[in-house]
Amino acid sequence: MKNMLIAALAVSVAVAPLAASAEVCTNEGLKKILAAGKIVVGVKADYKPWGYRDTDGKIIGLEIDMAQKVADTLGVKLETVPVIASNRMQFLQQGQTDLMIATMTDTKDRREMVGIKGPNYYASGTAALVPKALKMTKWDDLKGRPVCGVQGSFYLQKLEQTYGATIIGFGNAAEAKQALRDKKCVAFVYDDTTIGADYAAGGWDDFEIPLPTEDFAPWGLAVAKAEENCALGEIVSGLQYGWHRDGTLIELEKKWGVNASPFLVEMHERMADPLAK
């Protein structure tokens, strides 16, 4: 069955013209996965509820559920590898992972490095968690002040160049949030979905999220660049269309306690089957 799947996908993808390329798909990515009987997916382990460790140290979360659905579709086991913003693309490029579902914002520069297949599965903006005592109301209030962020996050450059903030980078969100509590910075800047979830979970009574959310941007999952227009890339692309169409992503959002995303509602309505009852 696996050999039949490889053959069918290889033929269907290879005969399709590849944009601006004479490359012929070898589908090595899919062949490797099926031969090994597992798919290795890079996920976050510090980004609740998208990917984090439970009390037993197991990585769980919304994106891990997505990864499991990919594995189930291919009929293989799922192996997760924790990644962070600064190494998640490199892991794909080096072949350490087959797929990456790790809260990555989809940008033009990143599309040149890895294969980001549409449609985007989520979207978020940039928000800031700050002490109430500072009474901040606008992003310009960060000028000349230390701001905690996670290394590799795309919006940190804007904080420096546009708002004049001094960035203190950390390897993960947990370290950055602790630095905020320790008063090493005046704000923790991250995506609004995670900051909102942290705040709602409690323990932040002396803090608030007063600045308007900006830089609303889509998220993309990725395969190695060579697999983007080949079988593996087409499979994950098709799955994303299906998840939007049947409401899978909306249900996962509810399961993990994420506030309803207007993006998911819009995508579900746009891709809904007009003939479905």
Side-chain angles (χ1 to χ4, degrees), residues 10-30:
V11 171
S12 64
V13 176
V15 298
L18 300 180
S21 174
E23 175 188 0
V24 176
C25 286
T26 62
N27 294 309
E28 289 303 318
L30 181 60

Side-chain angles (χ1 to χ4, degrees), residues 30 55 122 205 236:
L30 181 60
T55 54
Y122 205 74
D205 293 343
V236 297

Side-chain angles (χ1 to χ4, degrees), residues 52-217:
Y52 65 102
R53 295 188 185 276
D54 62 14
T55 54
D56 295 325
K58 180 182 179 181
I59 302 176
I60 61 173
L62 193 155
E63 289 181 330
I64 285 70
D65 283 357
M66 291 171 59
Q68 185 64 61
K69 290 181 180 298
V70 176
D72 291 344
T73 298
L74 296 177
V76 297
K77 295 180 179 180
L78 171 64
E79 178 180 323
T80 57
V81 173
V83 297
I84 56 178
S86 59
N87 68 16
R88 55 192 170 188
M89 289 189 289
Q90 285 76 7
F91 275 33
L92 267 181
Q93 294 172 320
Q94 296 166 4
Q96 294 174 256
T97 56
D98 305 309
L99 173 67
M100 183 255 286
I101 312 179
T103 67
M104 185 176 73
T105 301
D106 184 0
T107 67
K108 181 179 180 180
D109 289 345
R110 287 171 175 170
R111 285 195 175 201
E112 294 176 355
M113 299 175 65
V114 294
I116 301 177
K117 295 294 292 187
N120 299 107
Y121 66 93
Y122 205 74
S124 67
T126 304
L129 183 64
V130 304
K132 291 179 179 178
L134 296 180
K135 298 181 179 179
M136 291 188 183
T137 59
K138 56 186 183 300
W139 288 95
D140 287 328
D141 292 336
L142 298 176
K143 185 175 182 179
R145 292 176 161 180
V147 172
C148 291
V150 176
Q151 296 168 350
S153 298
F154 80 99
Y155 43 78
L156 297 184
Q157 185 176 11
K158 179 178 180 179
L159 288 175
E160 286 186 314
Q161 297 180 349
T162 303
Y163 299 118
T166 300
I167 303 301
I168 302 177
F170 293 88
N172 57 60
E175 292 176 356
K177 287 184 289 186
Q178 186 58 51
L180 175 63
R181 291 186 184 276
D182 294 339
K183 300 182 180 180
K184 295 180 180 178
C185 51
V186 300
F188 167 55
V189 177
Y190 212 39
D191 81 85
D192 62 330
T193 56
T194 299
I195 284 183
D198 285 342
Y199 192 76
W204 296 95
D205 293 343
D206 295 329
F207 297 82
E208 60 183 350
I209 310 172
L211 310 185
T213 300
E214 60 175 41
D215 293 328
F216 194 73

